[in-house]
Amino acid sequence: MLQPEAEWIAKAQKGDDEAFSRLVEVFQRPVHNLCYRMLGNANDAEDAAQETFIRAYKAIKRYDPSRKFSTWLLTIASNYCIDQHRRRKLPTFSYDSMPVPDISDNNPGIDRLMVLGENKEKVMELLDILNPKDRSAVILRYWYDYSYDEIANSLSLSNSAVKSRLHRARKELASEWLEMQEESTTFERTQNEQTI
Amino acid sequence: MNKQFNERLLESTWQEIEFTIKNSKEIGPKPGFTNRWKMRLEDQRKIEQRRQAWIFVGINAITALIILGIIGVLNFPESSSTSEAFVGVVAIFSKLIIYLKMLGGVIGSIIKTIPGLLPSSWWMNIIAGFVLLFGFWTSTIRKVIVQQGVSQ
């Protein structure tokens, strides 16, 4: 952990609000990103990220400095998002705030970028088919490079359960991805035939 | 053979998905997130304070009602109507207050006369003991309140 962060955590544990605000400043992006990947829209993500920091603030005295702070924080965030999923049926994804790749006419890798941009949207849509815990495991593993142990600790699962959930999730995502590609190919072919 | 082909197809598809994931940007909140968080924390504190105040008022009200109820039950067999019972309760309640005042007076006079009976070093020890007990009591109460705040 970086030196100033360790200092801020120690101060926050003694009740220094300003020190905790600095932690909010530093960790807002990863927490918000996780919430966005979990919940799928900017408003819910903002709300969940705020709530995560409120919960962390209340529990900061119980934080064990031997653990990585970001892991502890993201665990709070993912558990909150899983709860939100369980409480209400969340709507499907909105792409209003999805980052669009910078594509100009003289960009050499334009095709690849366009495909990548489309694929990003597809991945977000794909995540929606997973149940909240699998989804959280996939996000922590592939967006945040968490180890199996870290995911197991975060989601209160055994190491083998994490592995099997990830294996199942990968298969589900890949089959859905293939189906989506097949659908879009069929659609394009029909369009081309109609034009001819 | 077909199963193996499927496995390989899914594996290569997954690699494509993983590539996309690794290349996607981190999505941050809108500017001013920390300030919004501070405001939200302040709002939650106010709500918590209001809740605790209501709990305090509620406990006092319930205690007063229980005392009045006990007095009422004790007084009811002697009275013939509800209004008479009510007057009786009020009378007993005022008597109780008078007794408490008298008790306070008695304790006050004892405190005034007793110091001469014991050596001053004893009193110092007794007072120090009370101060320590009071400190221990307040810190315990504080811990309980803090734990409740965290668990919510």
Side-chain angles (χ1 to χ4, degrees), chain B residues 72 74-89:
Chain B
L74 292 173
N75 191 49
F76 198 73
E78 293 168 16
S79 44
S80 53
S81 65
T82 322
S83 57
E84 208 176 302
F86 180 73
V87 172
V89 169

Side-chain angles (χ1 to χ4, degrees), chain A residues 17 20-21 24-25 28-30 32-33 36-37 46-47 49-51 53-54 57-58 62 112 116 119-120 123 142-143 145 170-171 173-175 177-178 181, chain B residues 7 9-11 13-14 16-30 32-34 36-38 40-41 44-45 48 142 146 149-152:
Chain A
D17 284 1
F20 196 88
S21 299
V24 175
E25 199 69 54
Q28 57 177 284
R29 275 187 83 83
H32 183 274
N33 186 51
Y36 182 81
R37 304 288 175 197
E46 161 93 13
D47 190 59
Q50 296 262 350
E51 190 55 36
F53 284 111
I54 296 275
Y57 175 84
K58 284 179 179 173
R62 283 183 286 157
R112 189 159 172 74
L116 192 62
N119 285 355
K120 279 178 191 172
V123 169
Y142 297 105
W143 261 279
D145 294 322
R170 278 197 302 264
K171 268 190 163 181
L173 292 173
S175 335
W177 180 274
L178 284 172
Q181 276 185 332
Chain B
E7 289 282 328
L9 182 65
L10 288 178
E11 192 51 45
T13 311
W14 168 252
E16 197 181 340
I17 298 172
E18 197 178 351
F19 173 80
T20 313
I21 289 173
K22 299 279 178 206
N23 282 286
S24 54
K25 278 184 199 164
E26 199 174 53
I27 297 165
K30 287 176 202 152
F33 180 86
T34 311
R36 290 195 296 280
W37 176 77
K38 280 181 184 169
R40 188 167 171 148
L41 181 68
Q44 289 221 349
R45 273 184 183 152
E48 184 59 26
R142 200 171 160 269
V146 167
V150 167
S151 63
Q152 280 151 13

Side-chain angles (χ1 to χ4, degrees), chain A residues 69-81:
Chain A
F69 187 71
S70 60
T71 308
W72 181 71
L73 208 54
L74 293 177
T75 300
I76 298 174
S78 62
N79 286 328
Y80 179 75
C81 292

Side-chain angles (χ1 to χ4, degrees), chain A residues 110-153:
Chain A
I110 186 161
D111 289 345
R112 189 159 172 74
L113 273 175
M114 276 179 80
V115 171
L116 192 62
E118 280 170 18
N119 285 355
K120 279 178 191 172
E121 290 185 10
K122 270 193 212 166
V123 169
M124 289 298 283
E125 208 180 323
L126 274 182
L127 285 174
D128 220 17
I129 65 164
L130 299 175
N131 72 52
K133 263 204 175 167
D134 289 357
R135 184 173 182 158
S136 187
V138 167
I139 292 167
L140 291 174
R141 177 77 184 158
Y142 297 105
W143 261 279
Y144 293 90
D145 294 322
Y146 269 35
S147 67
Y148 291 123
D149 283 337
E150 282 175 318
I151 300 171
N153 281 333

